């Protein structure tokens, strides 16, 4: 389960200041990862990353089609008990759960019990799905598995389950937390990750199999794979093996809390048993001498079909609980996930017939996982020659027709779309016969043409993005996670600059007050009659910053609960709006009084900035934020 990293626009300054340095570090760290020659060297390099990123323990398996190359653990499964990680140590694996759900529905399809192209309205009309495009773009089972239904992501109240029975029926959960189940654009057009979509998929398994989804997966997927203790439920078999989860960069344990959408994120397994899943993928659905799933079902899992980008010719993307990873020297398939206290990933390379599992008992930064995966890939591929998709020659005129600003049109969380609109747009520029992608606050990236409309980044092996004409004639730029619609660049850039200026002005009012107070106490200033002009903007800014701070310091599993912390967020967002309006009224009244012109103008600018930010946040329903609401 992934929590959105930001809540309020104050975070834009932090993001703006850090993205450039992070991206530069990301590019350099990936390019300088060594190629271990021996297993001992690999383990040593992984331990270095674990030490630098404060990762307590990791379960790892290196897999080939016909054998396990190595499986074991590094570090501690439980720091207090001084318990070592082993190959059998269980971890919560988050979104890897999706792969099991997709396999189960593919199995049901092979048995003739469901069709992935079936409409949800036909097979489960009781689901609270409100699709405004039902006649032209109905939601299908495949849309759920490819994350193309257009659903919003889970809200805080529908994430961790701290009040209801842990085995609450899925249909009851989907009806209780139904707000995300309304497509925000025509389904089967663009990908946007949604945990509720896999909650619906799990319910379909239950309806078709007439039993609990996890029981069907255990009996038809896990037991045939040869697993013993892997399960969605916390059982007598896997509970003694479960590692303690820890907060990022901390030795503080994370309590085990159930989640509502169990099919989307609550699978528990070990490196040893997930290695069996990886081997099944490498053997194209075969387990020993038995064919668990048909090769064509595995192939269908690995490549998307329902997005506009896929229909326009882009091969790679998010398939059925299985997606392509371009971060290494070879395109890998698999899945990964994060849930509080744990990070996980499994990947495999069909052509090279190798794969791996990496499980960690901390919510480690994604870059740590990528760096460990790159080490593993370099080790497994040592000596293998890797070829990239050959570039094609396109004229400057051919490239220039793709130039423009592309505004993101597939936000994962609709409430936070204002941050996506501010920070995630992409500028495509043709310069001297080369096409560049220029994101805000990130280094430019060269787009290498692979065909007339498909491109890859310079370090990637195959086409990862595509330009095409949308259903309404607009130019679209899409990759695995991004769907951008071409628009004018003037307003997006102006909007970002206005927001950053507004936040800077708001922050300056706090600085002013903090400087004025000690000067006043020392008797070195007599400008107390000017102070009210800036006290209200400072209080507004501190209210917003306080709400932001409480949100980030509150554990995820408590964010959806009504208590003093979430009530404080509700109160402080209202306080921010009220103080903002009050500051504007006082600033306007100052024009009728004998106030220093500089103070008058400055206080007016700060008040306008506060009101502008408040109006922007109010438009996105961030004022009076009720995180406990369904």
């Amino acid at each position: 389960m992934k929590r959105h990293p930001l809540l309020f626009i104050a975070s834009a300054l932090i993001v703006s200041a850090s993205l450039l340095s992070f991206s530069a570090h990301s590019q350099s760290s990936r390019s300088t990862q060594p190629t271990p020659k021996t297993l001992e060297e690999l383990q040593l390099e992984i331990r270095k990353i674990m030490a630098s990123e404060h990762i307590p323990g990791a379960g790892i398996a290196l897999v080939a089609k016909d054998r396990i190359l190595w499986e074991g653990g590094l570090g501690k499964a439980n720091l207090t008990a001084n318990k070592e990680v082993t190959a059998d140590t269980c971890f919560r694996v988050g979104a890897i759960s999706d792969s099991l759900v997709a396999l189960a529905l593919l199995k049901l399809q092979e048995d003739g019990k469901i069709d992935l192209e079936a409409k949800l309205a036909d097979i489960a009309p009781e689901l609270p799905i409100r699709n405004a495009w039902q006649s032209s773009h109905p939601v299908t089972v495949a849309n759920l598995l490819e994350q193309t239904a257009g659903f919003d992501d889970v809200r805080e109240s529908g994430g961790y389950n701290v009040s209801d029975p842990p085995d609450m029926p899925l249909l009851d959960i989907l009806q209780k937390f139904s707000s995300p189940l309304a497509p925000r654009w025509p389904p089967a057009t663009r990908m946007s990750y949604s945990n509720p979509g896999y909650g619906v998929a799990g319910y379909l398994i239950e309806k078709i199999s007439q039993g609990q989804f996890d029981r069907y997966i255990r009996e038809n997927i896990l037991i045939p794979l040869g697993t013993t203790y892997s399960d969605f439920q916390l059982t007598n078999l896997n509970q003694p093996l479960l590692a303690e989860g820890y907060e990022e960069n901390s030795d503080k344990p994370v309590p085990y809390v159930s989640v509502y959408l169990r099919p989307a994120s609550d699978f528990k397994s070990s490196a040893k048993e997930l290695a069996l899943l990886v081997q099944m993928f490498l053997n194209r659905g075969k387990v020993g001498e038995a064919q668990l799933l048909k090769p064509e079902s595995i192939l269908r899992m690995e490549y998307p079909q329902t997005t506009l980008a896929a229909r326009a010719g882009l091969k790679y993307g998010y398939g059925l609980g299985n997606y392509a990873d371009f971060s290494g020297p070879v395109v890998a398939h698999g899945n990964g996930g994060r849930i509080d206290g744990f990070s996980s990933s499994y990947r495999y390379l069909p052509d090279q017939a190798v794969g791996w599992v990496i499980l960690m008992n901390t919510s480690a930064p994604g870059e740590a996982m990528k760096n460990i995966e790159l080490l593993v890939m370099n080790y497994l591929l040592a000596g293998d020659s890797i070829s990239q998709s050959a570039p094609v020659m396109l004229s400057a005129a051919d490239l220039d027709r793709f130039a423009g600003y592309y505004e993101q049109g597939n936000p994962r969380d609709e409430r936070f779309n204002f941050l996506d609109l501010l920070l995630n747009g992409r500028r495509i520029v043709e310069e001297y016969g080369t096409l560049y992608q220029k994101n805000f606050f990130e280094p430019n990236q060269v787009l290498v043409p692979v065909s007339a409309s498909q491109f890859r980044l310079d370090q990637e092996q195959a086409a990862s993005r595509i330009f095409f004409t949308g259903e309404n004639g607009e130019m679209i730029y899409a990759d695995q996670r991004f769907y951008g619609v071409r628009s004018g660049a003037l307003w997006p850039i102006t909007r970002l600059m206005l927001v950053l200026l507004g936040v800077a002005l708001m922050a300056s009012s706090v600085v002013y007050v903090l400087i004025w107070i000690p000067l006043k106490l020392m008797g070195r200033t007599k400008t107390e009659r000017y102070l009210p002009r800036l006290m209200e903007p400072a209080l507004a800014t501190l209210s917003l910053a306080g709400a932001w701070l409480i949100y980030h310091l509150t554990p995820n599993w408590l964010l959806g609960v009504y208590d003093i912390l979430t009530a404080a967020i509700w109160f402080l967002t209202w306080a921010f709006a009220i103080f903002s309006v009050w500051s504007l009224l006082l600033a306007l009244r100052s024009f009728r009084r004998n106030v220093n012109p500089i103070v008058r103008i400055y206080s007016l600018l700060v008040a306008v900035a506060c009101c502008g930010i408040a109006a922007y946040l109010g438009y996105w329903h961030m004022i009076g934020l009720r995180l406990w609401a369904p």
Side-chain angles (χ1 to χ4, degrees):
M1 180 175 296
K2 181 179 183 296
R3 185 170 109 191
H4 198 288
L6 301 170
L7 178 60
F8 301 107
I9 202 60
S11 304
L13 284 182
I14 300 173
V15 174
S16 303
S18 62
L19 269 179
L20 182 58
S21 61
F22 173 82
S23 178
H25 170 73
S26 168
Q27 295 292 330
S28 61
S29 64
R30 292 184 190 181
S31 61
T32 57
Q33 287 299 313
T35 301
K37 300 295 191 300
T38 66
L39 182 59
E40 290 72 21
E41 289 181 16
L42 174 63
Q43 293 173 348
L44 178 62
E45 294 296 331
I46 293 176
R47 286 185 184 277
K48 290 179 182 178
I49 295 175
M50 291 173 63
S52 67
E53 299 292 346
H54 205 85
I55 299 170
I60 301 173
L62 309 182
V63 183
K65 287 179 66 173
D66 57 348
R67 66 191 188 282
I68 300 298
L69 303 175
W70 177 71
E71 56 188 19
L74 302 174
K76 303 295 182 180
N78 188 306
L79 295 173
T80 303
N82 197 31
K83 184 178 181 180
E84 301 287 335
V85 176
T86 71
D88 288 308
T89 301
C90 278
F91 297 75
R92 302 182 82 176
V93 299
I96 287 178
S97 307
D98 298 353
S99 296
L100 281 302
V101 172
L103 285 168
L105 283 166
L106 283 165
K107 182 68 173 175
L108 286 168
Q109 178 173 256
E110 288 187 7
D111 292 341
K113 296 180 179 180
I114 197 172
D115 183 353
L116 296 191
E117 302 307 316
K119 302 175 185 178
L120 259 61
D122 293 337
I123 60 177
E126 67 276 14
L127 288 167
I129 296 174
R130 305 169 303 282
N131 182 9
W133 297 272
Q134 178 61 34
S135 59
S136 59
H137 293 79
V139 178
T140 68
V141 180
N143 294 151
L144 298 175
L145 301 181
E146 286 194 19
Q147 306 282 13
T148 57
F151 293 158
D152 204 352
D153 202 4
V154 64
R155 301 292 172 88
E156 289 83 1
S157 59
Y160 286 94
N161 179 2
V162 297
S163 58
D164 290 311
D167 58 349
M168 183 177 179
L170 288 176
L171 182 59
D172 291 351
I173 293 170
L174 295 169
Q175 290 173 338
K176 181 176 181 178
F177 304 104
S178 63
S179 58
L181 301 179
R184 296 166 288 163
W185 46 77
T189 57
R190 59 196 87 169
M191 182 270 180
S192 180
Y193 195 91
S194 170
N195 284 284
Y198 268 82
V200 174
Y203 170 70
L204 293 181
I205 296 173
E206 294 192 342
K207 182 171 184 177
I208 301 302
S209 67
Q210 298 183 341
Q212 291 185 323
F213 82 94
D214 51 316
R215 178 178 177 180
Y216 180 86
I217 291 175
R218 182 167 57 252
E219 293 178 353
N220 294 273
I221 304 296
L222 296 174
I223 292 176
L225 275 176
T227 68
T228 302
Y229 42 77
S230 295
D231 211 315
F232 282 83
Q233 295 187 24
L234 192 60
T235 68
N236 293 332
L237 289 175
N238 60 34
Q239 187 170 11
L241 299 172
L242 187 64
E244 185 81 78
Y246 294 92
E247 293 182 0
E248 183 178 337
N249 294 318
S250 170
D251 292 341
K252 184 177 180 180
V254 173
Y256 183 97
V257 183
S258 299
V259 297
Y260 279 112
L261 297 169
R262 303 183 297 275
S265 56
D266 214 15
F267 189 58
K268 291 161 277 288
S269 190
S270 66
K272 181 177 183 178
E273 296 206 334
L274 280 178
L276 302 174
L277 178 69
V278 173
Q279 279 191 312
M280 186 273 292
F281 281 121
L282 290 173
N283 286 285
R284 306 286 85 186
K286 200 171 184 180
V287 179
E289 298 301 318
Q291 195 73 45
L292 180 59
L293 281 98
K294 298 176 181 177
E296 50 266 35
S297 292
I298 301 301
L299 192 65
R300 173 66 184 91
M301 230 181 140
E302 294 169 343
Y303 299 98
Q305 293 183 8
T306 66
T307 62
L308 291 176
R311 298 201 292 275
L314 187 63
K315 179 180 179 181
Y316 294 104
Y318 192 99
L320 308 179
N322 187 307
Y323 59 86
D325 182 2
F326 291 88
S327 59
V330 176
V331 179
H333 296 273
N335 206 332
R338 295 183 68 184
I339 190 168
D340 282 69
F342 297 91
S343 305
S344 60
S345 176
Y346 79 85
R347 299 281 189 266
Y348 60 95
L349 316 176
D351 292 340
Q352 288 76 23
V354 293
W356 61 88
V357 177
I358 301 171
L359 309 175
M360 301 187 293
N361 59 340
T362 180
S363 305
E367 196 62 24
M369 178 67 79
K370 290 299 180 187
N371 287 335
I372 293 175
E373 287 190 303
L374 188 57
L375 278 171
V376 170
M377 189 182 291
N378 288 345
Y379 170 75
L380 292 174
L381 296 177
D384 288 359
S385 59
I386 305 301
S387 61
Q388 292 179 306
S389 297
V392 300
M393 296 300 297
L394 297 180
S395 67
D398 290 333
L399 296 173
D400 190 59
R401 66 191 180 96
F402 302 128
Y405 181 85
Y406 292 82
E407 188 168 77
Q408 183 168 3
N410 63 331
R412 175 172 175 170
D413 189 328
E414 192 63 34
R415 291 177 309 165
F416 300 98
N417 192 20
F418 68 93
L419 285 172
D420 293 322
L421 293 174
L422 283 172
L423 300 173
N424 289 347
R426 301 183 181 181
R427 289 186 300 134
I428 304 299
V429 180
E430 183 276 323
E431 294 178 354
Y432 305 105
T434 301
L435 203 63
Y436 293 91
Q437 174 180 296
K438 299 186 175 184
N439 300 3
F440 290 126
F441 315 112
E442 291 186 13
N444 298 343
Q445 294 177 300
V446 176
L447 298 183
V448 179
V450 177
S451 71
S453 60
Q454 297 188 47
F455 293 78
R456 60 173 172 83
L457 298 182
D458 188 51
Q459 71 273 16
E460 293 176 341
Q461 305 306 307
S464 60
R465 55 210 65 223
I466 189 172
F467 295 90
F468 62 93
T469 302
E471 293 180 324
N472 297 317
E474 72 278 26
M475 181 63 75
I476 305 296
Y477 174 49
D479 60 25
Q480 183 162 258
R481 301 274 180 170
F482 179 82
Y483 179 97
V485 182
R486 185 161 64 183
S487 64
L490 179 60
W491 169 237
I493 294 174
T494 303
R495 177 178 56 200
L496 176 61
M497 295 301 104
L498 287 174
V499 168
L500 292 177
L501 177 61
V503 173
L505 284 169
M506 289 167 55
S508 71
S509 69
V510 177
V511 174
Y512 178 95
V513 171
L514 291 176
I515 293 175
W516 181 89
I517 290 175
L519 290 178
K520 177 62 179 175
L521 292 175
M522 291 185 294
R524 299 181 60 180
T525 180
K526 298 181 179 180
T527 59
E528 62 270 14
R529 69 178 186 273
Y530 300 150
L531 182 61
R533 309 296 178 268
L534 291 167
M535 180 62 78
E536 282 71 22
L539 290 174
T541 304
L542 291 173
S543 297
L544 183 62
W548 176 84
L549 186 63
I550 292 171
Y551 179 87
H552 282 278
L553 293 179
T554 302
N556 281 356
W557 54 92
L558 295 179
L559 277 175
V561 178
Y562 178 74
D563 61 10
I564 189 172
L565 296 174
T566 54
I569 292 173
W570 172 86
F571 173 79
L572 288 171
T573 53
W574 271 120
F576 166 65
I578 292 169
F579 280 127
S580 296
V581 173
W582 191 3
S583 67
L584 181 59
L585 293 175
L586 288 175
L588 292 174
R589 286 179 61 188
S590 70
F591 282 84
R592 299 181 181 179
R593 300 183 178 184
N594 183 23
V595 177
N596 184 295
I598 295 177
V599 174
R600 179 188 299 143
I601 294 172
Y602 173 61
S603 64
L604 180 62
L605 288 174
V606 174
V608 169
C610 286
C611 288
I613 297 297
Y616 189 51
L617 293 178
Y619 176 83
W620 291 100
H621 309 291
M622 290 288 144
I623 302 300
L625 189 62
R626 298 166 63 243
L627 296 174
W628 61 87

